[in-house]
Amino acid sequence: MPLEYSIEWLTCAVASSFFRSWLADRVLLKIVYLLVRRILGLAALVSRTDLAKDAELLVLRHENAVLRRHAGRVRYEPADRAWFAALARLIPRSRWTEVFAVAPATLLAWHRKLAASKYDTSNRRKPGRPPTVPSIARLVVRLAKENPLWGYRRIHGEMTKLGVTVAPSTVWEILRAAGIDPAPRRAGPTWQQFLHAQAAGILAVDFFHVDTVLLKRLYVLVFIEHETRRMHLGGITANPTGEWTVQQARNLALTLGERFGDIKFLIRDRGSNFTASFDAVFQASGTRILRTAAQAPRMNATANAWSARCAASFWTAC
């Protein structure tokens, strides 16, 4: 290696070592300077009078107000909201408007959210209603299939006896999801299927009324055979009492003769005109009385429809 190269290399090495040493001393000196400054600042703050501290707070408040006018709306991070909400408890509420940039109600809302976050369990469970245990669903379906006359209330009671905690609405949802109809429809055919299958032995009875020219109301009792739609006029009266209705049933029995015994079912509503004596006239020949359900006029739709037609025909004839 040439001599000049060795001298230059040695010079660069010495200079680089000196520079690194000077830079390290400068950084160390700066750290010591900052530390001494903080210590002196703390000592000055401790020895400062209350008047000087209040003056500094007034300056900072005014500077904060100037920044609010020029900065516009301030966006607070969740950490800032939590910090302000925590410090708000240390400041009198009457001073909140002067200190904080938000309304007092906002600070209270932040504090409520901060307290509620401690009891927040939204991340621990899935949203919505928890699913039913499959074993409970299978037991509900099994009870419904083995006991066709049991409704969801009865099934719920039996489940309670077995120590299974489940709501009645849950039992109903399980049955609906499994495609199981309510108890009255589960044991046999529907009402429409029953009417078609037993039409030959069904007799329906109903009242309809008409008003005369003098506004006097008359009541007409009619009997209708489901199979042939043949109508039998029971009678017309202005006062349809129970005794009068019973007599019309006896007259029908005399009119039909032997065919009266072929009637298997009599469909009627729950009116007070149809007494127990009226039912006894038909039950004597083995007829079963079927009363329509409350608020279910379509159960005796055939008699209702033909009664309406007869009322219209009666007015036309008049």
Side-chain angles (χ1 to χ4, degrees), residues 1 16 44 46-47 84 106 118 167 189 198 207 209 256 301-302 309:
M1 178 180 297
S16 178
V46 172
S47 60
F84 286 151
T106 305
K118 179 180 178 182
Q198 303 292 335
F207 274 97
H209 63 270
L256 294 180
T302 301
R309 294 181 183 180

Side-chain angles (χ1 to χ4, degrees), residues 58-79:
L58 291 176
V59 172
L60 293 177
R61 288 182 182 178
H62 185 72
E63 183 179 1
N64 192 16
V66 173
L67 293 176
R68 291 179 189 174
R69 291 199 300 265
H70 295 280
R73 184 177 180 181
V74 181
R75 301 285 182 178
Y76 293 102
E77 299 293 335

Side-chain angles (χ1 to χ4, degrees), residues 219-258:
Y219 296 88
V220 182
L221 179 65
V222 292
F223 299 89
I224 303 174
E225 299 181 20
H226 264 239
E227 183 180 23
T228 61
R229 295 298 191 270
R230 183 179 179 182
M231 182 178 297
H232 303 275
L233 179 62
I236 303 175
T237 181
N239 186 21
T241 61
E243 293 78 5
W244 181 87
T245 308
V246 172
Q247 184 59 43
Q248 304 310 314
R250 294 170 181 169
N251 296 339
L252 177 66
L254 295 175
T255 302
L256 294 180
E258 296 181 355

Side-chain angles (χ1 to χ4, degrees), residues 121-157:
T121 59
S122 59
N123 297 328
R124 305 177 189 175
R125 62 177 179 84
K126 297 181 179 180
R129 188 175 182 178
T132 307
V133 180
S135 59
I136 295 179
R138 290 194 297 268
L139 180 59
V140 170
V141 174
R142 178 182 175 184
L143 290 176
K145 290 182 178 180
E146 294 180 356
N147 304 274
L149 298 180
W150 286 7
Y152 74 97
R153 288 284 185 180
R154 174 67 183 275
I155 296 176
H156 169 258

Side-chain angles (χ1 to χ4, degrees), residues 70-229:
H70 295 280
R73 184 177 180 181
V74 181
R75 301 285 182 178
Y76 293 102
E77 299 293 335
D80 301 331
R81 297 177 180 179
W83 179 247
F84 286 151
L87 292 179
R89 291 300 179 183
L90 304 178
I91 301 176
R93 186 170 298 183
S94 58
R95 305 288 300 277
W96 283 5
T97 307
E98 302 175 2
V99 177
F100 298 101
V102 294
T106 305
L107 287 173
L108 294 176
W110 288 353
H111 189 272
R112 287 194 297 268
K113 292 180 180 179
L114 180 63
S117 62
K118 179 180 178 182
Y119 306 98
D120 186 14
T121 59
S122 59
N123 297 328
R124 305 177 189 175
R125 62 177 179 84
K126 297 181 179 180
R129 188 175 182 178
T132 307
V133 180
S135 59
I136 295 179
R138 290 194 297 268
L139 180 59
V140 170
V141 174
R142 178 182 175 184
L143 290 176
K145 290 182 178 180
E146 294 180 356
N147 304 274
L149 298 180
W150 286 7
Y152 74 97
R153 288 284 185 180
R154 174 67 183 275
I155 296 176
H156 169 258
E158 297 297 329
M159 298 282 288
T160 305
K161 294 178 183 179
L162 296 176
V164 179
T165 303
V166 62
S169 59
T170 304
V171 177
W172 185 86
E173 288 289 346
I174 294 173
L175 296 178
R176 185 179 66 87
I180 301 177
D181 293 330
R185 304 179 185 175
R186 202 182 310 150
T190 63
W191 180 251
Q192 186 176 4
Q193 293 173 347
F194 165 77
L195 294 180
H196 283 288
Q198 303 292 335
I202 295 179
L203 183 69
V205 60
D206 195 12
F207 274 97
F208 72 90
H209 63 270
V210 292
D211 296 327
T212 64
V213 178
L214 300 178
L215 300 181
K216 182 179 181 181
R217 175 157 295 187
L218 300 178
Y219 296 88
V220 182
L221 179 65
V222 292
F223 299 89
I224 303 174
E225 299 181 20
H226 264 239
E227 183 180 23
T228 61
R229 295 298 191 270

